[in-house]
Amino acid sequence: VMPTMSGLDALSLIRQEEKCQGRPRASKVIVTTSREDDESIDGAFGQLCDAYIVKPIDTEKFLGVLDCLCDAAPEREHD
């Protein structure tokens, strides 16, 4: 448990800040948790997470999720 807020509260703040700055969903967020009930999963995706992984984390699955998120990310301009 996070000291001052839950992970979903933090995710909500991240998404709000992105929206205020005019860059919706700029950050990719993977929720990692021990909870695998539908309510927790729906709550995480309701806060616009990009992926949800239940602990203990399977390394192969985690790397697959990272690959998918990296492939889906828009190319950034380099200065």
Side-chain angles (χ1 to χ4, degrees):
V1 176
M2 295 174 64
T4 58
M5 69 176 67
S6 73
L8 292 184
D9 290 339
L11 175 55
S12 178
L13 289 174
I14 289 167
R15 295 303 187 217
Q16 287 174 18
E17 185 66 23
E18 289 172 335
K19 188 175 181 180
C20 288
Q21 293 178 0
R23 44 184 206 102
R25 297 195 66 172
S27 303
K28 299 295 182 188
V29 176
I30 302 171
V31 171
T32 59
T33 180
S34 60
R35 297 180 179 178
E36 55 186 327
D37 59 281
D38 290 340
E39 184 177 340
S40 295
I41 295 168
D42 291 344
F45 281 104
Q47 292 295 333
L48 302 177
C49 77
D50 295 288
Y52 190 98
I53 298 177
V54 178
K55 297 175 188 176
I57 296 173
D58 176 286
T59 304
E60 293 291 322
K61 182 176 181 178
F62 184 73
L63 292 174
V65 169
L66 286 177
D67 282 343
C68 288
L69 292 178
C70 289
D71 288 344
E75 297 241 0
R76 300 175 96 181
E77 291 185 26
H78 299 285
D79 294 327

